[in-house]
C-alpha cells in the first residue's frame, strides 16, 4: 500500500454538521442516544429530548458537550401537541433555530391481534406516528421562517423520521407497531413531496434489528440471538452507532439531493433471506 495516500479527510470534513442545531426525540436511550452523540461529534449543537429519565438525558448532554458543542436536555412527550410546541419554542429561543429534526421517539406495546386493547393500539400510534407528525410540523414552521442560510447548509432544514424494516415487513403480534411504521413511510414521502420546493429535505432511516432496550428479548439469550441472526444476511445484530452514522450522513449536505428516501440500515434483513436457498 502507498503510505503517502492521505485519508479522505479533506474530501469529507470531520465536522460535517458544524454550526447546525439538531433536535433528537427519545434521545436518552438506544438509537436516539447514539444519534444525539454522533450529531454532536459531527459538530452540531444538540437538544436531547426525553420523556422520563432526566438523569440519563443529562449524562448524554455531558457527553455531547465534551465535543465542544452546545447541548441541553428538554423534557416533552412527543404525542402531546402543547409539549411539542413548547419544546420547539424553547429550542428557537435558546439555540436560535433548528436545522435537523430526528423524529426518533418510539415504543412497542405488543399483543396478539384479538388481545390487543384499544389503549395499546392508540398509545403506539400516538407516540410513533402522531409524535413524528407534531415534531415535523413545528420544525417545518421554523425552517420556513428562517429559510436557507448557505453558510450553514444548502437546505432550509432536514427531517429524518425513524422508521423500521416493519414499514415493509408485516409483523404478527405487533399490528400497532407495524401500522405506525407503515404510516411513517407514507407520512415521510408525502411531507417530502410537499416540502421539497421549500428546500426542506424529508427522509427516513429504517433500522433492522439493533441492540437496544426496545427489543431486549430478541437478543438477550444465545437462543434468541441465533434465531434473530437467521433473518440477517450480514451475520450480525446492529449497534445503535450503525443507525447514528446513517443519520449523520443523511442530515449532511453530502446527501443534499436525497429527498423522500428511506435508507434501510438492516444488514440485509429486507432482502427476504428466507429465499436465499429456495423459494
Ligand atoms: P429505546 O426504547 O431504547 O428508545 C426509545 C426512546 O423513545 C426512549 O428514549 C423513550 O423514552 C422515548 N420515548 C418513548 N415514548 C416517548 C414519548 N411519548 N415522548 C418522547 N420520547 C419518548 O428504543 P430504540 O430501539 O432506541 O428505538 C428508537 C427508535 O428506533 C424507535 O422509533 C423505534 O421504533 C426505532 N427502531 C428500533 C429498532 C431496534 O431494533 N431497536 C428497529 C427499528 C426501528
Amino acid at each position: 500500500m502507498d503510505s503517502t495516500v492521505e485519508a479522505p479527510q479533506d474530501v469529507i470534513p470531520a465536522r460535517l454538521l458544524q454550526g447546525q442545531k439538531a433536535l433528537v426525540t427519545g434521545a436518552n436511550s438506544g438509537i436516539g442516544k447514539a444519534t444525539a452523540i454522533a450529531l454532536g461529534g459531527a459538530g452540531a449543537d444538540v437538544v436531547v429530548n426525553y420523556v422520563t429519565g432526566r438523569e440519563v438525558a443529562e449524562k448524554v448532554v455531558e457527553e455531547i458537550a465534551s465535543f465542544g458543542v452546545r447541548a441541553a436536555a428538554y423534557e416533552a412527550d412527543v404525542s402531546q401537541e402543547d409539549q411539542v410546541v413548547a419544546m420547539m419554542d424553547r429550542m428557537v429561543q435558546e439555540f436560535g433555530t433548528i436545522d435537523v429534526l430526528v423524529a426518533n421517539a418510539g415504543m412497542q406495546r405488543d399483543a396478539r391481534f384479538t388481545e390487543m386493547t384499544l389503549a395499546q393500539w392508540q398509545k403506539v400510534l400516538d407516540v410513533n406516528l402522531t409524535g413524528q407528525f407534531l415534531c415535523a410540523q413545528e420544525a417545518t414552521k421554523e425552517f420556513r421562517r428562517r429559510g436557507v442560510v448557505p453558510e450553514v447548509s444548502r437546505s432550509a432544514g432536514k427531517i429524518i423520521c425513524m422508521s423500521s424494516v416493519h414499514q415493509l415487513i408485516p409483523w404478527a403480534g405487533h399490528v400497532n407497531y407495524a401500522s405506525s411504521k407503515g404510516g411513517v413511510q407514507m407520512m415521510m414521502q408525502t411531507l417530502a413531496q410537499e416540502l421539497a420546493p421549500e428546500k426542506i429535505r424529508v427522509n427516513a432511516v429504517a433500522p433492522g434489528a439493533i441492540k437496544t432496550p426496545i427489543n431486549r428479548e430478541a437478543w438477550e439469550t444465545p437462543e434468541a440471538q441465533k434465531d434473530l441472526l437467521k433473518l440477517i444476511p450480514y451475520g450480525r445484530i446492529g449497534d445503535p452507532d450503525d443507525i447514528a452514522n446513517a443519520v449523520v450522513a443523511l442530515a449532511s449536505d453530502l446527501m443534499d439531493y436525497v429527498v423522500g428516501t428511506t435508507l434501510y440500515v438492516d444488514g440485509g434483513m429486507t432482502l427476504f433471506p428466507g429465499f436465499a436457498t429456495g423459494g
Side-chain angles (χ1 to χ4, degrees):
M1 199 180 137
D2 180 354
S3 60
T4 61
V5 173
E6 302 249 324
Q9 262 121 16
D10 36 54
V11 185
I12 302 176
R15 292 212 143 194
L16 268 182
L17 299 174
Q18 187 76 48
Q20 303 204 34
K21 323 282 178 194
L23 166 65
V24 183
T25 65
N28 62 349
S29 178
I31 290 170
K33 175 180 165 183
T35 299
I37 292 168
L39 290 166
D45 295 330
V46 184
V47 171
V48 172
N49 159 257
Y50 68 96
V51 66
T52 55
R54 180 174 183 83
E55 277 159 35
V56 188
E58 292 294 355
K59 288 229 166 68
V60 178
V61 164
E62 266 174 45
E63 202 169 334
I64 296 169
S66 74
F67 298 120
V69 296
R70 227 179 126 191
Y74 290 0
E75 182 182 340
D77 178 338
V78 296
S79 67
Q80 301 301 313
E81 186 178 16
D82 55 340
Q83 296 185 34
V84 172
V85 170
M87 173 168 68
M88 205 62 74
D89 284 352
R90 184 174 167 198
M91 181 166 179
V92 172
Q93 243 174 39
E94 294 179 0
F95 283 71
T97 191
I98 176 171
D99 300 286
V100 179
L101 166 68
V102 185
N104 165 79
M107 63 174 355
Q108 291 180 214
R109 287 280 186 275
D110 307 330
R112 303 301 300 178
F113 177 46
T114 50
E115 275 96 67
M116 186 173 286
T117 62
L118 179 58
Q120 285 173 315
W121 166 265
Q122 197 62 59
K123 179 76 181 169
V124 170
L125 267 291
D126 283 351
V127 174
N128 294 12
L129 183 56
T130 307
Q132 294 205 10
F133 165 83
L134 291 170
C135 293
Q137 197 171 55
E138 290 313 302
T140 298
K141 290 177 191 165
E142 171 58 17
F143 296 156
R144 185 175 285 152
R145 184 199 66 76
R146 193 204 58 241
V148 178
V149 180
E151 307 77 65
V152 175
S153 174
R154 294 177 72 182
S155 75
K158 280 84 57 163
I159 296 172
I160 295 164
C161 299
M162 198 55 68
S163 189
S164 162
V165 290
H166 296 297
Q167 69 171 28
L168 182 73
I169 304 174
W171 204 16
H174 307 261
V175 66
N176 48 1
Y177 184 85
S179 302
S180 74
K181 297 300 185 179
V184 164
Q185 178 182 25
M186 192 45 76
M187 181 188 73
M188 180 280 288
Q189 290 178 305
T190 301
L191 298 187
Q193 188 192 61
E194 189 168 331
L195 301 175
E198 298 182 67
K199 292 279 180 289
I200 295 167
R201 285 200 298 122
V202 188
N203 289 287
V205 170
I210 311 299
K211 266 189 201 179
T212 75
I214 210 173
N215 56 359
R216 190 178 292 284
E217 75 289 349
W219 50 263
E220 207 166 36
T221 64
E223 306 80 66
Q225 279 213 27
K226 202 166 149 233
D227 278 352
L228 186 55
L229 285 170
K230 287 184 197 146
L231 302 175
I232 309 172
Y234 205 55
R236 71 169 171 88
I237 300 170
D239 293 315
D241 282 345
D242 289 314
I243 307 305
N245 292 336
V247 171
V248 169
L250 207 43
S252 80
D253 278 1
L254 287 175
M255 300 269 178
D256 188 55
Y257 207 49
V258 178
V259 175
T261 290
T262 296
L263 179 56
Y264 287 91
V265 185
D266 67 350
M269 190 178 248
T270 43
L271 297 173
F272 300 96
F275 282 77
T277 53

